[in-house]
Amino acid sequence: MQIRTVLLLPLTKFKYNASLILFLDIRRKKLVKPNYSSLDGNRNCRMEVKKFLHVVVIIWLINEAQMVSSSICVAGPVYSNCSCTIANGTVMADCSHLELKESPKFTSIVQIVNLSFNEMEQTPVPGSLPAGLQVLDLSRNKIKIFLKSTFSGLYSLQILNISFNLLSVDDITFYKGVFGDLKALWHLEMQNNSCNSSNTNNLYPGTALQDLISLRVLEIDGLPTYNFGQEFSTLRNLSQLNLSRGHCNLSLYGLTETYFQYLTNLKYLVVRNCSITNIHNNTFLLLRNLTYLDVSDNNLLTFCGFKNVSDALIGSSIKIFKANRIYCAIGRSTFAIGKFFQSLRKTTLEELYLDDNKIDYADDQIGGDFPVTLRKLSLNGNRLSLGRYIFLNVSQLIGLKELDISYQNKHLKAPYRNQYYVCYDYRVSIKCDCIYDVDLNWLSQSGRKQPRTLLPVEDKWCDHVEMITILPPYLSSINFEYSTVGDTIPFMHLKYNNLNKLNLRGNRLTKWIGPVCNATSMLYLDLSENLCSDVSKSFFRELTGLETLLLDRNYLVYPIRNDQNGDIFRRLTNLQNISIANNQLDVLPRKIFHGLVNLEALNLSTNAINAVDFDIQHMYNLSFLDLSNNFIRFFDENFTSQIDLIPSNSLVISLENNPLECSCRSLSFLKWFQKKKNSHSVTFVNNQLYNCSDDNGYPLNSGFAQIDVIIHNLEVKCRKTEWYVLVIIIILTTFVLLLICIFVIYRHKWKIRYFVYLAKREMFKRGYERVGDENIFKYDAFVSYAEGNRCFAIKEVVKRLEGEAGLKVCLHDKDFVPGSDISDNIIGAIRHSRKIIFIVSSHFIKSDWCMYEFHMARYEETVVRKRNCTIFIFLGDIPLADLPYKIAQVRDQTVFADFPRDAKEETNFWNVLIDAVHEP
């Protein structure tokens, strides 16, 4: 069976680091040993100790691998369950997890043998292992003894793992000569044997191990003995010693001055979690080549033991020093006093780890006690809180570039694991002065730390500085995540503009005011998970160099919704990656991202966005847009056209877990989706899993995996729908227009009737001739009255005007032309009379013809003559509410006459009326 892959072989309990990975160089068909000179480098050391894995990983860099019959590797059909793998001539036999009681016999071509996780009680019988063997794993068995000559002839063996067995660690089990032929062995794992042995007098088996002249890496249990014996002085190549991979208990004597006296070439030493209560002053004095030291997880060691260690490191090659968890998790806080670190000033230390030590306060001169070569300082998991005193007097650390003060105040939740047993603050160690001369006057009555003097503010315009950062001048990275800090980020000024990365994730910084001045070099800022709901528009104003901005898991819905002009992010022109996921965003203003001209990745996932209409056409470098887990139904044409304008052909869009809609109104989006998908100009993440629903929200049987079928069905459906919609629109439009016409006609019915009459006269030239001059008016006045006022009109008005004043009056009773349309007679009388007199009474306003005469006269007055020609005489008391609107308007805006009730005033009334008729 042909397999194109990278094989990971399950050889157990090896550390995964640069020095222990074996590369199979298939072209040269041999194992390549790592370069141990690289162990002096800081980067490799950091890799080696970052995490110990429990599996040896052998990476086969191959083009093809072939699984063959087990008979190629193993002699005898009884062991056919063993797997045999050949990669370009390198053969591995894997017989692990088979419950074997004894080892099979392997053929001579095998180079790697894995017998781990079986039931073997002794090592393989002599001759069963091939002479060319390079790697042998016997871990996780029940081996108690070494058969004589087991390893005879294995001159090529390089790695041996015998961990997790029942071997007594003494000179009897590990007899002299047992490893005599293993001259090429450079890595030996034998941890977790002493804890399973009944022998309480275990000693390091130097007699057996002294033959391993090529040994470079030794992983063995830490035994409560005085030292590694003189026999270890022959192991001149031994540079790595790990006592913490298995069982380690050094509580009896601790680490004495002679413990490592015969291992002077050690470069890498781990004594973590060994129950050490004290370390003698000169324990590490002879280890001048030591570059990496880890004494972590010895929770009774305290800074007293730490001081003894640091005193012995003066003049050494130490680069990395780890002293994590050297205090009990329970108990009072720790004061970091400068005297504990003074000796480190005389070393070339580059990385110092003091995690989980309950440090609450450090004296104000401690910065001067660290070495100037210190590049990284880790105070992870202590009890520091936000305040100036954290950063006091550290400007002397000119080499410090990375500061880790994350996960502070974990004790507020629970002590770290395995620390619930009874322990106490151990302060007495051999030759260690542990007098805590802490100035308790620094503590206020409330228990909070207060500085003795206020920090000087150099920039005069910074008149309100809450966090003036007297940080190390070349500090480039600060990690302050998950530290249970709740506060406001105020206006502040950075003294040095070298900070590149700031991580404030997982705190309670709920209000960001800013701006943060002198921070143009910052490239990375993480403010996620702070429950922030208030961001000033000037907060990011000075962070013009930012390339990555993470704002996930806040509550920025209102600041962003109200930022219509995009002022919050406008100055971040160099930003390449921004994430605002899980902020309950619902509406994004169109201009919110206008300043992000170099943006490459935009993450808006897990919000409540339902409409995507913000501008992105200016993002020419956009390559990833995450809109997953929102409420988006489709993109409108404006947004799709913006995507089309982006020149990149590698844009990736995620629309997963959105209620995408497949309906007539989203048809254009579906066609655009299909076009982009087929042209590969846009990649939609997991688009085959997109669900689809109709415009009512009901899911369809076919999802976006069948986009072609969906579009075809919608085109047929929408064509029918278009005719129905068109007919409905026409009917509704006609109905609306008809209503408008009726309303207009009703509102202007009198005007329309008047102009119809004029048009009619012009068309047929009938009736009275058009009046061009007032001298040819036929009548002086036309009197309009209701039948109920006929007597008053004839006996009073006509009598006064004709009989006494000699005026010619037109009345419909005597002057209208018989046989002609009454409307023609009315309009003719109005047009040929110089004045029109209306006798307004309760009868008048009830008469349709009287109201007709009123409206015609008003249009004659306002449209044709454009001067006053109407006279109103009101008879009786007419309630204002009963008057038609037009007559009431005339009553309010023009002069009218009420017929007098007193006979003495009638004479004056008629004189005024006659004069009004005589007026031109």
Side-chain angles (χ1 to χ4, degrees):
M1 178 176 64
Q2 297 292 326
I3 303 176
R4 299 185 63 87
T5 184
V6 175
L7 300 182
L8 302 179
L9 305 185
L11 298 179
T12 62
K13 285 299 177 182
F14 273 72
K15 204 166 51 245
Y16 178 71
N17 56 52
S19 63
L20 298 183
I21 297 179
L22 300 180
F23 294 97
L24 287 178
D25 189 335
I26 301 303
R27 294 179 177 83
R28 291 182 290 179
K29 298 183 181 181
K30 67 178 182 179
L31 285 172
V32 180
K33 296 181 183 179
N35 182 6
Y36 277 88
S37 62
S38 65
L39 288 177
D40 294 336
N42 297 331
R43 184 175 300 177
N44 288 338
C45 290
R46 289 179 61 187
M47 284 181 57
E48 290 166 1
V49 298
K50 187 172 183 180
K51 184 181 290 186
F52 291 104
L53 303 179
H54 299 292
V55 178
V56 162
V57 181
I58 300 180
I59 301 178
W60 288 14
L61 303 175
I62 59 175
N63 294 324
E64 291 185 354
Q66 184 177 17
M67 301 293 294
V68 297
S69 172
S70 61
S71 61
I72 301 297
C73 296
V74 182
V78 69
Y79 299 114
S80 59
N81 288 334
C82 294
S83 62
C84 189
T85 305
I86 301 178
N88 290 355
T90 300
V91 182
M92 186 196 81
D94 186 358
C95 299
S96 61
H97 297 88
L98 297 179
E99 299 183 356
L100 299 179
K101 299 293 185 181
E102 60 181 17
S103 171
K105 180 176 176 58
F106 297 95
T107 60
S108 59
I109 65 173
V110 175
Q111 294 170 286
I112 302 174
V113 170
N114 184 3
L115 287 167
S116 62
F117 292 93
N118 284 298
E119 302 294 328
M120 297 168 51
E121 295 184 358
Q122 61 184 22
T123 53
V125 298
S128 61
L129 298 175
L133 190 64
Q134 298 181 29
V135 178
L136 175 61
D137 189 351
L138 297 173
S139 63
R140 305 281 179 173
N141 280 280
K142 299 179 180 179
I143 299 175
K144 298 180 181 179
I145 60 172
F146 292 108
L147 295 179
K148 290 188 177 182
S149 302
T150 292
F151 303 112
S152 296
L154 300 183
Y155 301 111
S156 300
L157 190 64
Q158 300 179 28
I159 298 178
L160 174 62
N161 188 351
I162 55 174
S163 61
F164 289 91
N165 281 287
L166 303 177
L167 296 165
S168 295
V169 185
D170 53 35
D171 288 338
I172 298 176
T173 303
F174 288 84
Y175 57 89
K176 184 177 181 179
V178 64
F179 300 132
D181 289 347
L182 305 184
K183 303 300 182 182
L185 192 73
W186 59 268
H187 191 134
L188 174 61
E189 279 200 71
M190 54 182 295
Q191 74 275 7
N192 274 301
N193 279 287
S194 63
C195 58
N196 298 319
S197 173
S198 59
N199 187 354
T200 59
N201 297 316
N202 290 327
L203 297 173
Y204 294 118
T207 303
L209 297 179
Q210 64 182 350
D211 294 327
L212 303 177
I213 57 175
S214 297
L215 191 64
R216 297 174 182 265
V217 181
L218 175 61
E219 301 191 18
I220 190 172
D221 293 335
L223 304 179
T225 182
Y226 285 106
N227 58 16
F228 284 84
Q230 187 176 1
E231 298 85 356
F232 284 88
S233 60
T234 61
L235 304 181
R236 302 184 184 278
N237 293 311
L238 184 61
S239 60
Q240 294 193 64
L241 177 62
N242 192 337
L243 304 181
S244 301
R245 291 294 307 281
H247 178 69
C248 182
N249 186 356
L250 306 179
S251 60
L252 183 59
Y253 304 108
L255 291 180
T256 63
E257 296 178 351
T258 60
Y259 204 85
F260 302 110
Q261 64 176 332
Y262 297 112
L263 299 175
T264 55
N265 293 320
L266 284 181
K267 297 180 180 179
Y268 176 101
L269 176 60
V270 178
V271 286
R272 187 176 59 234
N273 196 21
C274 291
S275 302
I276 302 173
T277 59
N278 59 77
I279 298 177
H280 289 247
N281 291 49
N282 298 322
T283 298
F284 304 105
L285 191 61
L286 298 178
L287 305 183
R288 298 293 86 190
N289 297 317
L290 196 63
T291 59
Y292 180 96
L293 176 61
D294 190 351
V295 296
S296 302
D297 297 301
N298 294 293
N299 51 61
L300 299 181
L301 185 61
T302 76
F303 277 132
C304 293
F306 176 90
K307 183 177 185 302
N308 286 341
V309 175
S310 60
D311 289 344
L313 294 176
I314 296 176
S316 68
S317 302
I318 191 69
K319 301 297 182 184
I320 300 176
F321 184 15
K322 289 192 174 184
N324 305 323
R325 293 170 293 281
I326 59 175
Y327 277 87
C328 297
I330 56 178
R332 64 183 185 179
S333 298
T334 303
F335 296 147
I337 302 175
K339 66 167 56 180
F340 296 146
F341 306 94
Q342 289 174 350
S343 298
L344 296 179
R345 185 76 176 179
K346 301 175 183 179
T347 68
T348 58
L349 186 67
E350 296 182 359
E351 297 183 19
L352 177 61
Y353 297 83
L354 299 171
D355 301 342
D356 298 308
N357 282 312
K358 303 185 300 182
I359 299 175
D360 181 62
Y361 162 71
D363 65 43
D364 57 355
Q365 300 298 327
I366 196 170
D369 295 319
F370 290 110
V372 294
T373 57
L374 190 65
R375 184 173 54 85
K376 178 178 179 179
L377 176 61
S378 178
L379 298 170
N380 183 304
N382 284 286
R383 298 184 180 180
L384 301 174
S385 58
L386 197 62
R388 295 192 186 105
Y389 67 90
I390 296 177
F391 308 115
L392 282 177
N393 296 326
V394 293
S395 58
Q396 299 181 37
L397 297 177
I398 59 176
L400 191 64
K401 294 186 177 181
E402 185 175 352
L403 177 63
D404 186 354
I405 47 177
S406 59
Y407 291 92
Q408 301 299 312
N409 304 301
K410 288 193 295 185
H411 66 288
L412 297 179
K413 298 179 180 180
Y416 44 80
R417 191 171 55 182
N418 299 328
Q419 291 293 308
Y420 287 101
Y421 55 83
V422 177
C423 61
Y424 55 92
D425 288 338
Y426 187 85
R427 297 186 178 181
V428 180
S429 182
I430 297 177
K431 297 183 181 180
C432 176
D433 182 9
C434 285
I435 300 176
Y436 281 80
D437 53 350
V438 179
D439 184 1
L440 297 181
N441 292 326
W442 279 64
L443 299 179
S444 65
Q445 293 181 356
S446 62
R448 295 179 59 86
K449 283 77 182 171
Q450 302 293 337
R452 295 176 182 174
T453 57
L454 294 176
L455 295 176
V457 180
E458 296 183 0
D459 289 316
K460 301 300 182 182
W461 66 278
C462 296
D463 55 353
H464 181 64
V465 180
E466 294 186 16
M467 285 185 64
I468 186 169
T469 55
I470 306 180
L471 295 176
Y474 299 103
L475 186 67
S476 61
S477 175
I478 297 179
N479 185 4
F480 196 37
E481 63 181 349
Y482 297 107
S483 292
T484 321
V485 171
D487 208 336
T488 296
I489 302 181
F491 169 79
M492 64 175 64
H493 181 86
L494 301 184
K495 185 174 182 180
Y496 302 106
N497 188 14
N498 291 312
L499 190 61
N500 299 138
K501 180 177 181 180
L502 178 59
N503 185 356
L504 298 172
R505 174 186 289 265
N507 289 289
R508 296 295 181 268
L509 303 172
T510 58
K511 190 174 183 179
W512 307 338
I513 299 177
V516 182
C517 302
N518 198 31
T520 56
S521 293
M522 192 178 298
L523 305 177
Y524 179 98
L525 177 59
D526 189 347
L527 287 167
S528 302
E529 301 181 44
N530 273 284
L531 300 180
C532 176
S533 59
D534 190 357
V535 182
S536 73
K537 294 181 179 180
S538 63
F539 181 76
F540 297 105
R541 185 180 62 197
E542 302 298 324
L543 304 178
T544 55
L546 270 184
E547 295 180 354
T548 299
L549 177 60
L550 306 180
L551 304 173
D552 302 338
R553 293 183 179 274
N554 283 291
Y555 191 67
L556 303 180
V557 54
Y558 293 113
I560 288 181
R561 181 192 296 174
N562 297 329
D563 187 17
Q564 296 296 323
N565 294 321
D567 295 325
I568 294 179
F569 305 120
R570 183 173 298 277
R571 297 289 297 276
L572 304 182
T573 55
N574 291 311
L575 198 65
Q576 299 175 10
N577 177 20
I578 185 172
S579 181
I580 323 178
N582 208 335
N583 270 272
Q584 303 187 38
L585 303 179
D586 52 359
V587 177
L588 292 175
R590 183 175 296 276
K591 298 180 180 180
I592 187 64
F593 300 124
H594 262 207
L596 310 184
V597 294
N598 287 306
L599 198 66
E600 298 178 3
L602 174 59
N603 183 2
L604 295 170
S605 63
T606 319
N607 282 294
I609 302 171
N610 51 38
V612 184
D613 54 3
F614 53 88
D615 291 339
I616 63 169
Q617 71 268 18
H618 57 284
M619 302 178 185
Y620 295 109
N621 299 319
L622 189 65
S623 60
F624 181 67
L625 176 60
D626 191 348
L627 294 168
S628 60
N629 296 289
N630 279 283
F631 299 108
I632 300 170
R633 303 184 72 84
F634 56 87
F635 292 161
D636 60 21
E637 293 185 2
N638 175 59
F639 194 74
T640 56
S641 63
Q642 291 189 64
I643 295 177
D644 293 337
L645 294 176
I646 297 177
S648 173
N649 291 325
S650 58
L651 179 61
V652 177
I653 299 177
S654 176
L655 283 172
E656 296 178 272
N657 298 318
N658 277 284
L660 298 175
E661 181 179 304
C662 293
S663 64
C664 293
R665 65 178 181 175
S666 67
L667 183 57
S668 61
F669 163 70
L670 297 176
K671 290 182 177 179
W672 175 86
F673 179 94
Q674 181 188 41
K675 176 183 176 181
K676 292 297 180 180
K677 174 186 173 184
N678 293 338
S679 65
H680 304 289
S681 58
V682 177
T683 301
F684 296 92
V685 178
N686 294 327
N687 63 84
Q688 69 278 4
L689 302 179
Y690 292 177
N691 295 320
C692 196
S693 59
D694 59 19
D695 50 3
N696 294 319
Y698 296 105
L700 303 179
N701 293 330
S702 56
F704 272 51
Q706 301 178 357
I707 187 68
D708 297 337
V709 176
I710 292 175
I711 293 176
H712 174 74
N713 294 338
L714 284 177
E715 286 177 336
V716 175
K717 175 183 175 181
C718 296
R719 277 198 297 268
K720 297 179 180 179
T721 304
E722 287 174 359
W723 285 106
Y724 297 145
V725 172
L726 182 61
V727 171
I728 293 173
I729 290 176
I730 293 174
I731 294 174
L732 290 177
T733 303
T734 305
F735 179 72
V736 171
L737 292 176
L738 182 60
L739 289 178
I740 294 174
C741 292
I742 293 173
F743 174 76
V744 172
I745 292 173
Y746 178 78
R747 184 184 180 112
H748 303 282
K749 59 183 178 180
W750 298 112
K751 185 182 292 186
I752 294 172
R753 293 176 71 174
Y754 178 78
F755 284 106
V756 168
Y757 168 76
L758 293 180
K760 183 178 177 182
R761 279 180 57 85
E762 291 296 327
M763 183 177 295
F764 297 104
K765 299 295 183 179
R766 295 190 334 178
Y768 300 101
E769 294 299 325
R770 188 175 185 86
V771 177
D773 193 291
E774 65 176 19
N775 295 326
I776 64 172
F777 281 121
K778 187 176 181 179
Y779 303 101
D780 292 305
F782 169 61
V783 179
S784 175
Y785 60 90
E787 190 64 27
N789 305 117
R790 186 171 181 274
C791 292
F792 175 79
I794 295 175
K795 294 181 179 181
E796 296 291 341
V797 177
V798 175
K799 177 182 175 182
R800 299 287 184 178
L801 296 180
E802 286 189 343
E804 297 180 3
L807 298 173
K808 189 174 184 180
V809 179
C810 176
L811 295 176
H812 68 268
D813 287 347
K814 66 183 182 68
D815 295 308
F816 280 11
V817 179
S820 297
D821 187 72
I822 189 171
S823 60
D824 287 345
N825 277 293
I826 291 173
I827 295 177
I830 292 172
R831 293 185 64 82
H832 287 83
S833 299
R834 187 170 63 251
K835 299 289 182 180
I836 300 95
I837 301 173
F838 294 102
I839 301 174
V840 182
S841 66
S842 59
H843 301 292
F844 183 91
I845 61 180
K846 294 178 181 179
S847 172
D848 292 337
W849 285 115
C850 289
M851 294 303 299
Y852 179 78
E853 292 169 350
F854 166 76
H855 286 290
M856 294 299 103
R858 289 292 294 169
Y859 285 114
E860 175 72 16
E861 181 181 52
T862 57
V863 176
V864 178
R865 300 186 191 182
K866 297 182 180 179
R867 66 177 183 268
N868 293 332
C869 63
T870 58
I871 301 172
F872 293 88
I873 300 174
F874 287 87
L875 292 179
D877 294 329
I878 305 174
L880 185 61
D882 294 341
L883 286 176
Y885 171 72
K886 290 293 185 180
I887 296 179
Q889 189 179 31
V890 169
R891 186 183 177 94
D892 292 337
Q893 297 177 356
T894 62
V895 178
F896 63 90
D898 284 326
F899 188 75
R901 298 180 181 181
D902 189 352
K904 296 179 179 180
E905 297 179 358
E906 288 187 12
T907 301
N908 184 54
F909 172 80
W910 294 117
N911 291 333
V912 172
L913 179 61
I914 292 171
D915 292 340
V917 174
H918 278 293
E919 289 180 357

